Amino acid sequence: MNIKIRNMIVFFIVILGVVITITWRIGLLGLWSEGISYIANNTRDYSDKDGSIIQESYTISIDLADLKSNIGKVLYDDGNHKIYIAWVSNSRNINSGGYSIGFRSSGQYSLSGATLISGIHHITLGDHSFTTEMSAKMTAEYKSKKYSSSTSGISGLNYKDGDDFSFYIFPSTAYEAKEVSLNETGEVDITISNLFKNIWIRR
């Protein structure tokens, strides 16, 4: 290998090292690999104090005769944030909740901050302490009767662009009273309120 080629290789290695170092120092590597959670976990540079409850309610119809057909239906979409149905299931057992529904939330992020509209409020408690709580409430209207739905599950910022949350569609009392069975074929109107707009901005 002649000296000119060797010098060029050394030059490119040095340049690559400089680029990687700069990218790491300004946060692009963390942002690329972790997404919103990189912003949320960086409590030194970002604050989450500006988040708030969204006052509107959003309704979507679910077909109980074909649960898979509901996957991908959009509950909320403002062009930058989206909440859609990730799954609808039937455990076939009242004791394990019967019908349940899961939602996936996606937001946006950059080095200037991040926003996520979700059923979950992601809360910073301290420099390295975090928690999540369900802010959303859900009702299910079926056969002209309205039911309050209970929380099935919530997640942290498990995705680069968001999280997921879920509800049991009907309360156990509805099954016990024979108002709802585990073999329904109708459509149920799901209404979600109290979505939370999580906001992380640079301090």
PDB file of all heavy atoms in Angstrom, residues 53 118-120 133-138 151 165 167 192-196:
ATOM      1  N   ILE A  53     -54.277  17.578  29.537  1.00  0.00           N
ATOM      2  CA  ILE A  53     -55.395  16.744  29.105  1.00  0.00           C
ATOM      3  C   ILE A  53     -56.055  17.372  27.879  1.00  0.00           C
ATOM      4  O   ILE A  53     -56.234  18.585  27.809  1.00  0.00           O
ATOM      5  CB  ILE A  53     -56.446  16.607  30.235  1.00  0.00           C
ATOM      6  CG1 ILE A  53     -55.886  15.783  31.403  1.00  0.00           C
ATOM      7  CG2 ILE A  53     -57.745  16.001  29.711  1.00  0.00           C
ATOM      8  CD1 ILE A  53     -55.839  14.300  31.138  1.00  0.00           C
ATOM      9  N   SER A 118     -51.586  10.409  23.853  1.00  0.00           N
ATOM     10  CA  SER A 118     -51.794   9.023  24.250  1.00  0.00           C
ATOM     11  C   SER A 118     -52.868   8.955  25.335  1.00  0.00           C
ATOM     12  O   SER A 118     -53.308   9.982  25.863  1.00  0.00           O
ATOM     13  CB  SER A 118     -50.466   8.448  24.780  1.00  0.00           C
ATOM     14  OG  SER A 118     -50.654   7.188  25.386  1.00  0.00           O
ATOM     15  N   GLY A 119     -53.252   7.738  25.673  1.00  0.00           N
ATOM     16  CA  GLY A 119     -54.107   7.549  26.827  1.00  0.00           C
ATOM     17  C   GLY A 119     -53.309   7.582  28.113  1.00  0.00           C
ATOM     18  O   GLY A 119     -53.870   7.523  29.204  1.00  0.00           O
ATOM     19  N   ILE A 120     -51.987   7.667  27.986  1.00  0.00           N
ATOM     20  CA  ILE A 120     -51.079   7.583  29.123  1.00  0.00           C
ATOM     21  C   ILE A 120     -50.370   8.914  29.358  1.00  0.00           C
ATOM     22  O   ILE A 120     -49.913   9.563  28.418  1.00  0.00           O
ATOM     23  CB  ILE A 120     -50.012   6.495  28.884  1.00  0.00           C
ATOM     24  CG1 ILE A 120     -50.674   5.152  28.597  1.00  0.00           C
ATOM     25  CG2 ILE A 120     -49.064   6.380  30.066  1.00  0.00           C
ATOM     26  CD1 ILE A 120     -49.715   4.092  28.113  1.00  0.00           C
ATOM     27  N   GLU A 133     -49.211   6.854  34.157  1.00  0.00           N
ATOM     28  CA  GLU A 133     -50.550   6.636  34.680  1.00  0.00           C
ATOM     29  C   GLU A 133     -51.562   6.813  33.553  1.00  0.00           C
ATOM     30  O   GLU A 133     -51.362   7.627  32.646  1.00  0.00           O
ATOM     31  CB  GLU A 133     -50.861   7.584  35.839  1.00  0.00           C
ATOM     32  CG  GLU A 133     -50.881   9.047  35.473  1.00  0.00           C
ATOM     33  CD  GLU A 133     -51.190   9.937  36.678  1.00  0.00           C
ATOM     34  OE1 GLU A 133     -50.894   9.525  37.817  1.00  0.00           O
ATOM     35  OE2 GLU A 133     -51.726  11.043  36.464  1.00  0.00           O
ATOM     36  N   MET A 134     -52.622   6.004  33.596  1.00  0.00           N
ATOM     37  CA  MET A 134     -53.656   6.113  32.582  1.00  0.00           C
ATOM     38  C   MET A 134     -54.468   7.372  32.835  1.00  0.00           C
ATOM     39  O   MET A 134     -55.024   7.572  33.917  1.00  0.00           O
ATOM     40  CB  MET A 134     -54.564   4.886  32.635  1.00  0.00           C
ATOM     41  CG  MET A 134     -55.674   4.909  31.595  1.00  0.00           C
ATOM     42  SD  MET A 134     -55.094   4.585  29.911  1.00  0.00           S
ATOM     43  CE  MET A 134     -55.286   2.795  29.867  1.00  0.00           C
ATOM     44  N   SER A 135     -54.500   8.244  31.858  1.00  0.00           N
ATOM     45  CA  SER A 135     -55.336   9.443  31.956  1.00  0.00           C
ATOM     46  C   SER A 135     -56.667   9.209  31.236  1.00  0.00           C
ATOM     47  O   SER A 135     -57.689   9.776  31.622  1.00  0.00           O
ATOM     48  CB  SER A 135     -54.619  10.650  31.333  1.00  0.00           C
ATOM     49  OG  SER A 135     -54.474  10.471  29.929  1.00  0.00           O
ATOM     50  N   ALA A 136     -56.634   8.373  30.204  1.00  0.00           N
ATOM     51  CA  ALA A 136     -57.820   8.158  29.367  1.00  0.00           C
ATOM     52  C   ALA A 136     -58.908   7.395  30.111  1.00  0.00           C
ATOM     53  O   ALA A 136     -58.639   6.567  30.983  1.00  0.00           O
ATOM     54  CB  ALA A 136     -57.437   7.399  28.103  1.00  0.00           C
ATOM     55  N   LYS A 137     -60.131   7.697  29.724  1.00  0.00           N
ATOM     56  CA  LYS A 137     -61.294   6.953  30.194  1.00  0.00           C
ATOM     57  C   LYS A 137     -62.019   6.423  28.955  1.00  0.00           C
ATOM     58  O   LYS A 137     -62.034   7.081  27.919  1.00  0.00           O
ATOM     59  CB  LYS A 137     -62.215   7.847  31.021  1.00  0.00           C
ATOM     60  CG  LYS A 137     -61.548   8.398  32.270  1.00  0.00           C
ATOM     61  CD  LYS A 137     -62.520   9.227  33.092  1.00  0.00           C
ATOM     62  CE  LYS A 137     -61.826   9.856  34.297  1.00  0.00           C
ATOM     63  NZ  LYS A 137     -61.190   8.860  35.162  1.00  0.00           N
ATOM     64  N   MET A 138     -62.606   5.236  29.084  1.00  0.00           N
ATOM     65  CA  MET A 138     -63.286   4.644  27.942  1.00  0.00           C
ATOM     66  C   MET A 138     -64.682   4.178  28.316  1.00  0.00           C
ATOM     67  O   MET A 138     -64.897   3.652  29.416  1.00  0.00           O
ATOM     68  CB  MET A 138     -62.483   3.457  27.394  1.00  0.00           C
ATOM     69  CG  MET A 138     -63.007   2.936  26.061  1.00  0.00           C
ATOM     70  SD  MET A 138     -61.993   1.586  25.393  1.00  0.00           S
ATOM     71  CE  MET A 138     -63.007   0.168  25.850  1.00  0.00           C
ATOM     72  N   THR A 151     -59.346  -0.265  32.863  1.00  0.00           N
ATOM     73  CA  THR A 151     -58.014  -0.379  32.268  1.00  0.00           C
ATOM     74  C   THR A 151     -57.541  -1.817  32.266  1.00  0.00           C
ATOM     75  O   THR A 151     -57.668  -2.535  33.251  1.00  0.00           O
ATOM     76  CB  THR A 151     -57.010   0.477  33.060  1.00  0.00           C
ATOM     77  OG1 THR A 151     -57.427   1.840  33.018  1.00  0.00           O
ATOM     78  CG2 THR A 151     -55.602   0.351  32.490  1.00  0.00           C
ATOM     79  N   PHE A 165     -51.708   1.222  25.143  1.00  0.00           N
ATOM     80  CA  PHE A 165     -52.574   1.101  26.315  1.00  0.00           C
ATOM     81  C   PHE A 165     -53.813   0.301  25.926  1.00  0.00           C
ATOM     82  O   PHE A 165     -54.154   0.210  24.744  1.00  0.00           O
ATOM     83  CB  PHE A 165     -52.951   2.484  26.876  1.00  0.00           C
ATOM     84  CG  PHE A 165     -53.671   3.387  25.904  1.00  0.00           C
ATOM     85  CD1 PHE A 165     -55.056   3.490  25.914  1.00  0.00           C
ATOM     86  CD2 PHE A 165     -52.959   4.159  24.988  1.00  0.00           C
ATOM     87  CE1 PHE A 165     -55.725   4.327  25.031  1.00  0.00           C
ATOM     88  CE2 PHE A 165     -53.616   5.001  24.099  1.00  0.00           C
ATOM     89  CZ  PHE A 165     -55.001   5.094  24.121  1.00  0.00           C
ATOM     90  N   PHE A 167     -57.873  -1.551  27.273  1.00  0.00           N
ATOM     91  CA  PHE A 167     -59.035  -1.602  28.156  1.00  0.00           C
ATOM     92  C   PHE A 167     -59.774  -2.921  27.976  1.00  0.00           C
ATOM     93  O   PHE A 167     -59.752  -3.516  26.892  1.00  0.00           O
ATOM     94  CB  PHE A 167     -60.029  -0.480  27.813  1.00  0.00           C
ATOM     95  CG  PHE A 167     -59.575   0.909  28.132  1.00  0.00           C
ATOM     96  CD1 PHE A 167     -58.876   1.655  27.196  1.00  0.00           C
ATOM     97  CD2 PHE A 167     -59.858   1.482  29.356  1.00  0.00           C
ATOM     98  CE1 PHE A 167     -58.476   2.958  27.470  1.00  0.00           C
ATOM     99  CE2 PHE A 167     -59.460   2.779  29.645  1.00  0.00           C
ATOM    100  CZ  PHE A 167     -58.765   3.514  28.704  1.00  0.00           C
ATOM    101  N   ILE A 192     -63.353   7.318  23.724  1.00  0.00           N
ATOM    102  CA  ILE A 192     -62.191   7.605  24.579  1.00  0.00           C
ATOM    103  C   ILE A 192     -62.167   9.094  24.899  1.00  0.00           C
ATOM    104  O   ILE A 192     -62.262   9.933  24.004  1.00  0.00           O
ATOM    105  CB  ILE A 192     -60.866   7.217  23.882  1.00  0.00           C
ATOM    106  CG1 ILE A 192     -60.840   5.744  23.526  1.00  0.00           C
ATOM    107  CG2 ILE A 192     -59.675   7.616  24.740  1.00  0.00           C
ATOM    108  CD1 ILE A 192     -60.471   4.827  24.650  1.00  0.00           C
ATOM    109  N   SER A 193     -62.020   9.414  26.172  1.00  0.00           N
ATOM    110  CA  SER A 193     -61.871  10.808  26.602  1.00  0.00           C
ATOM    111  C   SER A 193     -60.615  10.925  27.470  1.00  0.00           C
ATOM    112  O   SER A 193     -60.009   9.926  27.843  1.00  0.00           O
ATOM    113  CB  SER A 193     -63.107  11.265  27.393  1.00  0.00           C
ATOM    114  OG  SER A 193     -63.289  10.455  28.541  1.00  0.00           O
ATOM    115  N   ASN A 194     -60.258  12.165  27.783  1.00  0.00           N
ATOM    116  CA  ASN A 194     -59.102  12.444  28.647  1.00  0.00           C
ATOM    117  C   ASN A 194     -57.769  11.931  28.087  1.00  0.00           C
ATOM    118  O   ASN A 194     -56.902  11.485  28.847  1.00  0.00           O
ATOM    119  CB  ASN A 194     -59.307  11.858  30.050  1.00  0.00           C
ATOM    120  CG  ASN A 194     -60.215  12.715  30.905  1.00  0.00           C
ATOM    121  OD1 ASN A 194     -61.119  13.367  30.397  1.00  0.00           O
ATOM    122  ND2 ASN A 194     -59.999  12.723  32.198  1.00  0.00           N
ATOM    123  N   LEU A 195     -57.616  11.992  26.771  1.00  0.00           N
ATOM    124  CA  LEU A 195     -56.293  11.731  26.214  1.00  0.00           C
ATOM    125  C   LEU A 195     -55.327  12.782  26.757  1.00  0.00           C
ATOM    126  O   LEU A 195     -55.729  13.898  27.095  1.00  0.00           O
ATOM    127  CB  LEU A 195     -56.329  11.792  24.680  1.00  0.00           C
ATOM    128  CG  LEU A 195     -57.109  10.685  23.971  1.00  0.00           C
ATOM    129  CD1 LEU A 195     -57.162  10.966  22.467  1.00  0.00           C
ATOM    130  CD2 LEU A 195     -56.492   9.318  24.229  1.00  0.00           C
ATOM    131  N   PHE A 196     -54.056  12.423  26.824  1.00  0.00           N
ATOM    132  CA  PHE A 196     -53.062  13.341  27.383  1.00  0.00           C
ATOM    133  C   PHE A 196     -52.029  13.705  26.317  1.00  0.00           C
ATOM    134  O   PHE A 196     -51.503  12.828  25.622  1.00  0.00           O
ATOM    135  CB  PHE A 196     -52.350  12.724  28.579  1.00  0.00           C
ATOM    136  CG  PHE A 196     -51.612  13.729  29.413  1.00  0.00           C
ATOM    137  CD1 PHE A 196     -52.247  14.390  30.454  1.00  0.00           C
ATOM    138  CD2 PHE A 196     -50.286  14.043  29.152  1.00  0.00           C
ATOM    139  CE1 PHE A 196     -51.583  15.342  31.216  1.00  0.00           C
ATOM    140  CE2 PHE A 196     -49.603  14.985  29.894  1.00  0.00           C
ATOM    141  CZ  PHE A 196     -50.252  15.637  30.936  1.00  0.00           C
TER     142      PHE A 196
END
